[in-house]
Amino acid sequence: MNEQIGVGMVGHAFMGAVHSQAWRNAHRFFDLPLVPRLSVLGGRDEARTRAAADKYGWADVETDWAALVRRDDVQVVDICTPGDTHCDIAVAALEAGKHVLCEKPLANSVAEAEKMAAAAEAAAARGVRSMVAFNYRRVPALALARRLVADGRIGEVRHVRAVYLQDWLSDPASPLTWRLDREKAGSGALGDLGAHIVDAAQFVTGLTITGVSALTETFTTTRPDGAGGTGEVTVDDAALFLARFDGGAVGSFEATRYALGRKNAMRLEVNGSRGSLAFDFESMNELQFFDGDAPGAEAGFRRVLVTEGDHPYVGAWWPPGHLLGYEHTFVHEVVDLVGAIAAGTDPAPSFADGLRVQRVLAAVEDSAAAGSWQSVPA
Amino acid sequence: MNEQIGVGMVGHAFMGAVHSQAWRNAHRFFDLPLVPRLSVLGGRDEARTRAAADKYGWADVETDWAALVRRDDVQVVDICTPGDTHCDIAVAALEAGKHVLCEKPLANSVAEAEKMAAAAEAAAARGVRSMVAFNYRRVPALALARRLVADGRIGEVRHVRAVYLQDWLSDPASPLTWRLDREKAGSGALGDLGAHIVDAAQFVTGLTITGVSALTETFTTTRPDGAGGTGEVTVDDAALFLARFDGGAVGSFEATRYALGRKNAMRLEVNGSRGSLAFDFESMNELQFFDGDAPGAEAGFRRVLVTEGDHPYVGAWWPPGHLLGYEHTFVHEVVDLVGAIAAGTDPAPSFADGLRVQRVLAAVEDSAAAGSWQSVPA
Amino acid sequence: MNEQIGVGMVGHAFMGAVHSQAWRNAHRFFDLPLVPRLSVLGGRDEARTRAAADKYGWADVETDWAALVRRDDVQVVDICTPGDTHCDIAVAALEAGKHVLCEKPLANSVAEAEKMAAAAEAAAARGVRSMVAFNYRRVPALALARRLVADGRIGEVRHVRAVYLQDWLSDPASPLTWRLDREKAGSGALGDLGAHIVDAAQFVTGLTITGVSALTETFTTTRPDGAGGTGEVTVDDAALFLARFDGGAVGSFEATRYALGRKNAMRLEVNGSRGSLAFDFESMNELQFFDGDAPGAEAGFRRVLVTEGDHPYVGAWWPPGHLLGYEHTFVHEVVDLVGAIAAGTDPAPSFADGLRVQRVLAAVEDSAAAGSWQSVPA
Amino acid sequence: MNEQIGVGMVGHAFMGAVHSQAWRNAHRFFDLPLVPRLSVLGGRDEARTRAAADKYGWADVETDWAALVRRDDVQVVDICTPGDTHCDIAVAALEAGKHVLCEKPLANSVAEAEKMAAAAEAAAARGVRSMVAFNYRRVPALALARRLVADGRIGEVRHVRAVYLQDWLSDPASPLTWRLDREKAGSGALGDLGAHIVDAAQFVTGLTITGVSALTETFTTTRPDGAGGTGEVTVDDAALFLARFDGGAVGSFEATRYALGRKNAMRLEVNGSRGSLAFDFESMNELQFFDGDAPGAEAGFRRVLVTEGDHPYVGAWWPPGHLLGYEHTFVHEVVDLVGAIAAGTDPAPSFADGLRVQRVLAAVEDSAAAGSWQSVPA
């Protein structure tokens, strides 16, 4: 078996569960140059962390992340905590010479993200790698979309149409969680969902958002606090914005947790001069492709079932038509990160990419507050 | 047979053809109190107008619309010309005591629309009716959507998501037409397509747009003029805007002729506190309805095939599952207009409704120019 | 205006209504060499026939079909009655030198169909034309499917999968009608729905069914007779059969009025060695086409919106994306029949084609009764 | 951690890979009473088996399945080999007191299946459990379908419509494999794909197939043997049959590997007196449900995204809208089998269920050969 690489992960809620599954299984399907060893799981409460470690297969636990990032059996630090802790943990890990995988959004502010991107750049000079966990890049259908755009199959991009629709806050009786607290989460639907579609749009098109015009809304301003009282919601429930990209394309974005009936509708459509692409995560194994070069009488959006051996990442899995699920995108993340570490290259998306997304999010908030167009710093 | 009502129609291009079909056939399916008589067709070129009259079944022709609106065998004037002539014809017809059906957008400017709305209001006091031809209100699926919202089936509206996507300008070699000339058309995709989704969104939700933030874009600024040279495109190719509605809902709108592969994708989604609705004109006989009151394990967007006898307008047509098409929406328009004339009531959408749409379009253009939020005058 | 051709139609129920619409409007969109004149409508009850004639635009009425077929102002006889009268009317009309359009199924028995086919053949020798009204051949999407098969775009046909699903008998309280009476209707779902998919499958593939294995079922054997009592259902509620085609393809067919939730799901899928096609009448403006020649990573069923000017029949109608409906298929039928009459050619489907369908239906009933494979006479 | 249970698995191709994933991960998501230990992997070639064991996480290897089933560290024997070996391995394992999970179809003949069912029944009396791996029962959407039928939500079943369409043999140059060899595989599409839809139809409806009428076809009778020559295909490429169920329902089934463009289209539709259900594995996270009790104007097939916490199996996984994939069905299989072992109950589907499927497959082959209806022995 190949050499091992030790992983320390901080956080063991939803993201911790799915990252564990990825670390534990990636080498069972992909020929990894380094085999992940689940060395240590970090969490604040020892008993709960120990239970999670047993459940998810981690060898040891730490209640102090600062100790975790210094351990000799940890070569990669995986950050699965709320956004307010990303900066401190990532910078400490990078400075300790540990490769870092950090959940998105990269940070709760542009200032933090800048600090992290600088630390990542400095670390890269020493051969230490970092990556932000925009897992949707590793949906095979979106990776295929990226490939088709890069190959010129849709020509010059004119339109981007991206929404990320969920509905779990539609019920005003849903309680407060850390995700509704600006101190913890940075923002609401904007950072949680909007960050994904900003990254996906830039990834698939290869273009950069240069300016935005936005509105944000909080439909329900107080919610049960879980302790018999109520508390204030301090983040947006929905964020909508228009955008311009370098090269002349225009786009529309929307992130909300109030679209009743839409469970995880992360959707992206791109119209170009030669073709169009459309994706919906609720049908994540499919890519809709309109080939403008087809004879007119035969043209139409074709539903490509992205389960063929020559589709991105798919060859390692099952025969055509045997679907992959949500968690597989995280396996692909591990595959690419470990591959880059072994190859001595910088994986994508970098912390610099994460910073660029953060700047878009900040411009969205500024625009919504000012009621005017905001350019996004390069 | 019931008493007849004489119709004079000005214009005989695309809209003229479909309006003719509606005037000629409405009483074959619906029990109309007054049977339309296709008295006279107006057009500038006598020979071409005569040919169109023969083809579409009009008894006589006029090359001067002013003469047409004064004829004794004309009780209804139907305006199917480009937007720059709407105001003059409509006002003259109303002043001559003729009921008016006017194609959308109502006018090329707010000033014209205000004049028309004032004329319509004055005429209504004399029992003369007027209606603007937002035919999508008479798609059975959208009429059903309106009914479901009005019945409270989706609760309080939170989100509106509307696009109208076509692709016929994707090819930069497509020639100039009057639709690309600001003098004739007023605006581009905004007035042609955007007007429809603004009206449809306000119709289905029963809400009013109070403010917008917009961008417009012309991707191809010069085109072949059909005479061997090139000419300037003076209208938008695409218009995107965010909106707020009275009552707190937020919305996103996009109109474009550059969405390659989308042929007539007039789409509307509304998310409320109890349910959601989604519509796409490319599947115009269907309404997607998410009933939030259904048990969680059984909930899902249901595809209602809007072809049942108790669906709006459908009872007059075929058995369930036997689809209607584009032209039927115009038949329904005639049915409702003639019904209102006979009943002595004001049909909807009124010229005042058309003016409200015009004010939204104007605010969109102002916002795009200024780069800032624009409120829409009440 | 072109010369006229007089039409006499027998029957004024559902089929009569839709045929009237076709006769009345075909020349408004298509450049017909002969313009249909709606001369006379036949029906047994004079008052009801007169009312229908007024509603649908027929100039005169006859209560005796034998008189109707002899009238000088009738050059075409259109038969829209239940199946038990088809043979007598058609043969008389043909013998009187009148062109005939006959609703499907051609007859209630093979013997009648043979008589009709013989009469049609004899009449053709005298320049008298006949056609059976399998209107689904004139759905633009199915005409396009036929063209793609004929052009070799799907290669050699291997599989045919055809169903025609309705649900209007699901409720056991639905009353008896002539459609449930073997004397009138010949058979149940088999002749009403199954005939359509047999014809469509043979039309699209260009192949002939050579043998079948079948089952039929009547789920509800007695129903309210509308007079306070109950009566016996003497036809099948559902008919299912397997088939072999000349050339080696195999097929599966099902016709039922008990598929709850399926309103008019006339579906056809054909798999060939180079591609596949799929159609569903509930989305009648779409054809799904899988092009096996496309690069593997880009292949998928494409949804062709069959509304382009170069699609069959579509050029006469509206711009791309503006849908057609059920009734348009009958307009196309009139266009092709009148065109053939003017051109002096035999239109399709001929009575011989209708006889071939009838032989398949008979083999299905024989197979269901015998519990064994039945070959279909050539 | 809970007590362990040792697993020995025979076979390490496609099924071996996916079963390994299930054994390795089930306890990471579900609270299993016994934690699977991947004790030993069986295969004929030691080096290849060792490589597979390392890849998939098995502790040891055996090249002799007879030795494997006797090992003390094996309490469960999992049979992932071609059908010709199922009977011998399963009977030996059961006699050795080992619980057995056996891939489908249960055997290559009714005689073998009877022997296996008898062995299973005898073993059950001694507390030894057995289960046949019809994994599609554990697709959450199909488990939900079963629950809805059992709860009476679709009423009395009238129609079953099941197809399993693949296309990997469409290319005549595809080589011979064991799956095309009757000695190894028993039959072709019939046993490979048809077995799944027979089981799924009986599982979802709770009904039993009592008789069939069938045809089978081999489109390509010789193929490259991989050694420069050609060999004979001795199994069916496609199998189609009609069926009757106890209780009066009728059904249509088709299994083929020649449906170009269909990758893994395992589809099931059931129409009942109160509602209907439809499923397609290519959209495996969705169930289409038509609720006949809904008001007519609101009725339609609803797309239930089967990713809610109260859907079968789903609570152990991710939030709503985060899809599961093919392999998860095998995890659920392990969960149910291990749960039954721990609880001392017999899991489903039993070997007796597998035998019933086998009898249907045999009747299909008999009917196809005889050209007549065949009843299926109870």
Side-chain angles (χ1 to χ4, degrees), chain D residues 208-230:
Chain D
T208 301
I209 294 173
T210 58
V212 298
S213 178
L215 72 76
T216 59
E217 182 63 49
T218 304
F219 295 109
T220 305
T221 52
T222 58
R223 288 182 175 274
D225 63 6
T230 59

PDB file of all heavy atoms in Angstrom, chain D residues 208-230:
ATOM      1  N   THR D 208     -48.485 -11.006  -6.588  1.00  0.00           N
ATOM      2  CA  THR D 208     -47.696 -12.095  -7.161  1.00  0.00           C
ATOM      3  C   THR D 208     -48.089 -12.301  -8.616  1.00  0.00           C
ATOM      4  O   THR D 208     -49.269 -12.289  -8.952  1.00  0.00           O
ATOM      5  CB  THR D 208     -47.975 -13.391  -6.376  1.00  0.00           C
ATOM      6  OG1 THR D 208     -47.627 -13.164  -5.005  1.00  0.00           O
ATOM      7  CG2 THR D 208     -47.138 -14.542  -6.908  1.00  0.00           C
ATOM      8  N   ILE D 209     -47.094 -12.487  -9.453  1.00  0.00           N
ATOM      9  CA  ILE D 209     -47.339 -12.769 -10.864  1.00  0.00           C
ATOM     10  C   ILE D 209     -47.819 -14.211 -11.011  1.00  0.00           C
ATOM     11  O   ILE D 209     -47.164 -15.127 -10.512  1.00  0.00           O
ATOM     12  CB  ILE D 209     -46.066 -12.528 -11.703  1.00  0.00           C
ATOM     13  CG1 ILE D 209     -45.709 -11.034 -11.682  1.00  0.00           C
ATOM     14  CG2 ILE D 209     -46.230 -13.048 -13.132  1.00  0.00           C
ATOM     15  CD1 ILE D 209     -44.381 -10.702 -12.335  1.00  0.00           C
ATOM     16  N   THR D 210     -48.947 -14.382 -11.686  1.00  0.00           N
ATOM     17  CA  THR D 210     -49.534 -15.732 -11.796  1.00  0.00           C
ATOM     18  C   THR D 210     -49.389 -16.338 -13.182  1.00  0.00           C
ATOM     19  O   THR D 210     -49.567 -17.547 -13.336  1.00  0.00           O
ATOM     20  CB  THR D 210     -51.034 -15.685 -11.445  1.00  0.00           C
ATOM     21  OG1 THR D 210     -51.676 -14.760 -12.342  1.00  0.00           O
ATOM     22  CG2 THR D 210     -51.245 -15.221 -10.007  1.00  0.00           C
ATOM     23  N   GLY D 211     -49.104 -15.497 -14.189  1.00  0.00           N
ATOM     24  CA  GLY D 211     -48.947 -16.044 -15.529  1.00  0.00           C
ATOM     25  C   GLY D 211     -48.300 -15.025 -16.440  1.00  0.00           C
ATOM     26  O   GLY D 211     -48.353 -13.818 -16.161  1.00  0.00           O
ATOM     27  N   VAL D 212     -47.687 -15.525 -17.517  1.00  0.00           N
ATOM     28  CA  VAL D 212     -46.975 -14.634 -18.435  1.00  0.00           C
ATOM     29  C   VAL D 212     -47.127 -15.086 -19.882  1.00  0.00           C
ATOM     30  O   VAL D 212     -47.380 -16.260 -20.168  1.00  0.00           O
ATOM     31  CB  VAL D 212     -45.456 -14.586 -18.116  1.00  0.00           C
ATOM     32  CG1 VAL D 212     -45.202 -14.044 -16.720  1.00  0.00           C
ATOM     33  CG2 VAL D 212     -44.815 -15.950 -18.299  1.00  0.00           C
ATOM     34  N   SER D 213     -46.929 -14.106 -20.765  1.00  0.00           N
ATOM     35  CA  SER D 213     -46.815 -14.382 -22.189  1.00  0.00           C
ATOM     36  C   SER D 213     -45.607 -13.598 -22.660  1.00  0.00           C
ATOM     37  O   SER D 213     -45.523 -12.388 -22.415  1.00  0.00           O
ATOM     38  CB  SER D 213     -48.080 -13.933 -22.913  1.00  0.00           C
ATOM     39  OG  SER D 213     -47.944 -14.154 -24.289  1.00  0.00           O
ATOM     40  N   ALA D 214     -44.667 -14.247 -23.357  1.00  0.00           N
ATOM     41  CA  ALA D 214     -43.353 -13.633 -23.541  1.00  0.00           C
ATOM     42  C   ALA D 214     -42.797 -13.804 -24.938  1.00  0.00           C
ATOM     43  O   ALA D 214     -43.214 -14.683 -25.702  1.00  0.00           O
ATOM     44  CB  ALA D 214     -42.371 -14.245 -22.545  1.00  0.00           C
ATOM     45  N   LEU D 215     -41.852 -12.941 -25.257  1.00  0.00           N
ATOM     46  CA  LEU D 215     -40.958 -13.182 -26.382  1.00  0.00           C
ATOM     47  C   LEU D 215     -39.555 -12.793 -25.947  1.00  0.00           C
ATOM     48  O   LEU D 215     -39.366 -11.904 -25.129  1.00  0.00           O
ATOM     49  CB  LEU D 215     -41.394 -12.428 -27.647  1.00  0.00           C
ATOM     50  CG  LEU D 215     -41.257 -10.918 -27.803  1.00  0.00           C
ATOM     51  CD1 LEU D 215     -39.813 -10.470 -28.091  1.00  0.00           C
ATOM     52  CD2 LEU D 215     -42.147 -10.452 -28.954  1.00  0.00           C
ATOM     53  N   THR D 216     -38.576 -13.512 -26.479  1.00  0.00           N
ATOM     54  CA  THR D 216     -37.180 -13.150 -26.248  1.00  0.00           C
ATOM     55  C   THR D 216     -36.488 -13.046 -27.600  1.00  0.00           C
ATOM     56  O   THR D 216     -36.943 -13.630 -28.581  1.00  0.00           O
ATOM     57  CB  THR D 216     -36.443 -14.198 -25.383  1.00  0.00           C
ATOM     58  OG1 THR D 216     -36.521 -15.457 -26.057  1.00  0.00           O
ATOM     59  CG2 THR D 216     -37.069 -14.318 -24.002  1.00  0.00           C
ATOM     60  N   GLU D 217     -35.404 -12.289 -27.620  1.00  0.00           N
ATOM     61  CA  GLU D 217     -34.718 -12.071 -28.890  1.00  0.00           C
ATOM     62  C   GLU D 217     -33.219 -11.900 -28.646  1.00  0.00           C
ATOM     63  O   GLU D 217     -32.814 -11.266 -27.670  1.00  0.00           O
ATOM     64  CB  GLU D 217     -35.280 -10.796 -29.545  1.00  0.00           C
ATOM     65  CG  GLU D 217     -34.700 -10.456 -30.888  1.00  0.00           C
ATOM     66  CD  GLU D 217     -35.001 -11.527 -31.953  1.00  0.00           C
ATOM     67  OE1 GLU D 217     -36.170 -11.930 -32.079  1.00  0.00           O
ATOM     68  OE2 GLU D 217     -34.047 -11.960 -32.624  1.00  0.00           O
ATOM     69  N   THR D 218     -32.443 -12.476 -29.561  1.00  0.00           N
ATOM     70  CA  THR D 218     -31.004 -12.224 -29.577  1.00  0.00           C
ATOM     71  C   THR D 218     -30.692 -11.549 -30.905  1.00  0.00           C
ATOM     72  O   THR D 218     -30.761 -12.180 -31.961  1.00  0.00           O
ATOM     73  CB  THR D 218     -30.213 -13.547 -29.425  1.00  0.00           C
ATOM     74  OG1 THR D 218     -30.649 -14.197 -28.236  1.00  0.00           O
ATOM     75  CG2 THR D 218     -28.711 -13.265 -29.332  1.00  0.00           C
ATOM     76  N   PHE D 219     -30.395 -10.246 -30.839  1.00  0.00           N
ATOM     77  CA  PHE D 219     -30.189  -9.483 -32.076  1.00  0.00           C
ATOM     78  C   PHE D 219     -28.842  -9.808 -32.717  1.00  0.00           C
ATOM     79  O   PHE D 219     -28.701  -9.819 -33.924  1.00  0.00           O
ATOM     80  CB  PHE D 219     -30.265  -7.977 -31.794  1.00  0.00           C
ATOM     81  CG  PHE D 219     -31.607  -7.500 -31.330  1.00  0.00           C
ATOM     82  CD1 PHE D 219     -31.812  -7.104 -30.021  1.00  0.00           C
ATOM     83  CD2 PHE D 219     -32.690  -7.456 -32.216  1.00  0.00           C
ATOM     84  CE1 PHE D 219     -33.053  -6.652 -29.589  1.00  0.00           C
ATOM     85  CE2 PHE D 219     -33.938  -7.015 -31.799  1.00  0.00           C
ATOM     86  CZ  PHE D 219     -34.119  -6.613 -30.468  1.00  0.00           C
ATOM     87  N   THR D 220     -27.844 -10.050 -31.891  1.00  0.00           N
ATOM     88  CA  THR D 220     -26.490 -10.303 -32.379  1.00  0.00           C
ATOM     89  C   THR D 220     -26.069 -11.653 -31.844  1.00  0.00           C
ATOM     90  O   THR D 220     -25.910 -11.814 -30.628  1.00  0.00           O
ATOM     91  CB  THR D 220     -25.526  -9.206 -31.886  1.00  0.00           C
ATOM     92  OG1 THR D 220     -26.052  -7.929 -32.280  1.00  0.00           O
ATOM     93  CG2 THR D 220     -24.134  -9.377 -32.468  1.00  0.00           C
ATOM     94  N   THR D 221     -25.894 -12.612 -32.753  1.00  0.00           N
ATOM     95  CA  THR D 221     -25.726 -13.995 -32.290  1.00  0.00           C
ATOM     96  C   THR D 221     -24.266 -14.430 -32.161  1.00  0.00           C
ATOM     97  O   THR D 221     -23.985 -15.427 -31.504  1.00  0.00           O
ATOM     98  CB  THR D 221     -26.467 -14.954 -33.246  1.00  0.00           C
ATOM     99  OG1 THR D 221     -26.028 -14.667 -34.574  1.00  0.00           O
ATOM    100  CG2 THR D 221     -27.975 -14.736 -33.166  1.00  0.00           C
ATOM    101  N   THR D 222     -23.360 -13.694 -32.810  1.00  0.00           N
ATOM    102  CA  THR D 222     -21.940 -13.989 -32.587  1.00  0.00           C
ATOM    103  C   THR D 222     -21.210 -12.681 -32.293  1.00  0.00           C
ATOM    104  O   THR D 222     -21.570 -11.619 -32.826  1.00  0.00           O
ATOM    105  CB  THR D 222     -21.273 -14.647 -33.809  1.00  0.00           C
ATOM    106  OG1 THR D 222     -21.417 -13.778 -34.934  1.00  0.00           O
ATOM    107  CG2 THR D 222     -21.887 -15.998 -34.134  1.00  0.00           C
ATOM    108  N   ARG D 223     -20.196 -12.792 -31.445  1.00  0.00           N
ATOM    109  CA  ARG D 223     -19.440 -11.608 -31.041  1.00  0.00           C
ATOM    110  C   ARG D 223     -17.960 -11.961 -30.911  1.00  0.00           C
ATOM    111  O   ARG D 223     -17.611 -13.134 -30.757  1.00  0.00           O
ATOM    112  CB  ARG D 223     -19.944 -11.094 -29.677  1.00  0.00           C
ATOM    113  CG  ARG D 223     -21.310 -10.428 -29.739  1.00  0.00           C
ATOM    114  CD  ARG D 223     -21.737  -9.899 -28.381  1.00  0.00           C
ATOM    115  NE  ARG D 223     -22.983  -9.165 -28.488  1.00  0.00           N
ATOM    116  CZ  ARG D 223     -23.092  -7.877 -28.793  1.00  0.00           C
ATOM    117  NH1 ARG D 223     -21.991  -7.163 -28.994  1.00  0.00           N
ATOM    118  NH2 ARG D 223     -24.261  -7.282 -28.882  1.00  0.00           N
ATOM    119  N   PRO D 224     -17.085 -10.954 -30.951  1.00  0.00           N
ATOM    120  CA  PRO D 224     -15.653 -11.199 -30.750  1.00  0.00           C
ATOM    121  C   PRO D 224     -15.429 -11.865 -29.396  1.00  0.00           C
ATOM    122  O   PRO D 224     -16.044 -11.480 -28.397  1.00  0.00           O
ATOM    123  CB  PRO D 224     -15.051  -9.787 -30.765  1.00  0.00           C
ATOM    124  CG  PRO D 224     -16.064  -8.903 -31.419  1.00  0.00           C
ATOM    125  CD  PRO D 224     -17.396  -9.528 -31.176  1.00  0.00           C
ATOM    126  N   ASP D 225     -14.566 -12.873 -29.407  1.00  0.00           N
ATOM    127  CA  ASP D 225     -14.328 -13.594 -28.157  1.00  0.00           C
ATOM    128  C   ASP D 225     -13.150 -13.040 -27.377  1.00  0.00           C
ATOM    129  O   ASP D 225     -12.751 -13.605 -26.356  1.00  0.00           O
ATOM    130  CB  ASP D 225     -14.155 -15.092 -28.433  1.00  0.00           C
ATOM    131  CG  ASP D 225     -12.940 -15.379 -29.304  1.00  0.00           C
ATOM    132  OD1 ASP D 225     -12.158 -14.434 -29.598  1.00  0.00           O
ATOM    133  OD2 ASP D 225     -12.765 -16.548 -29.688  1.00  0.00           O
ATOM    134  N   GLY D 226     -12.571 -11.959 -27.858  1.00  0.00           N
ATOM    135  CA  GLY D 226     -11.460 -11.356 -27.130  1.00  0.00           C
ATOM    136  C   GLY D 226     -10.137 -12.037 -27.410  1.00  0.00           C
ATOM    137  O   GLY D 226      -9.088 -11.599 -26.924  1.00  0.00           O
ATOM    138  N   ALA D 227     -10.186 -13.145 -28.177  1.00  0.00           N
ATOM    139  CA  ALA D 227      -8.964 -13.869 -28.506  1.00  0.00           C
ATOM    140  C   ALA D 227      -8.761 -13.914 -30.021  1.00  0.00           C
ATOM    141  O   ALA D 227      -8.155 -14.835 -30.554  1.00  0.00           O
ATOM    142  CB  ALA D 227      -9.033 -15.291 -27.933  1.00  0.00           C
ATOM    143  N   GLY D 228      -9.321 -12.941 -30.693  1.00  0.00           N
ATOM    144  CA  GLY D 228      -9.120 -12.864 -32.132  1.00  0.00           C
ATOM    145  C   GLY D 228     -10.184 -13.579 -32.945  1.00  0.00           C
ATOM    146  O   GLY D 228     -10.299 -13.370 -34.151  1.00  0.00           O
ATOM    147  N   GLY D 229     -10.965 -14.426 -32.293  1.00  0.00           N
ATOM    148  CA  GLY D 229     -12.021 -15.128 -33.010  1.00  0.00           C
ATOM    149  C   GLY D 229     -13.392 -14.589 -32.638  1.00  0.00           C
ATOM    150  O   GLY D 229     -13.519 -13.470 -32.137  1.00  0.00           O
ATOM    151  N   THR D 230     -14.411 -15.395 -32.910  1.00  0.00           N
ATOM    152  CA  THR D 230     -15.753 -15.013 -32.490  1.00  0.00           C
ATOM    153  C   THR D 230     -16.360 -16.182 -31.746  1.00  0.00           C
ATOM    154  O   THR D 230     -15.907 -17.320 -31.872  1.00  0.00           O
ATOM    155  CB  THR D 230     -16.660 -14.674 -33.695  1.00  0.00           C
ATOM    156  OG1 THR D 230     -16.740 -15.808 -34.541  1.00  0.00           O
ATOM    157  CG2 THR D 230     -16.119 -13.490 -34.479  1.00  0.00           C
TER     158      THR D 230
END
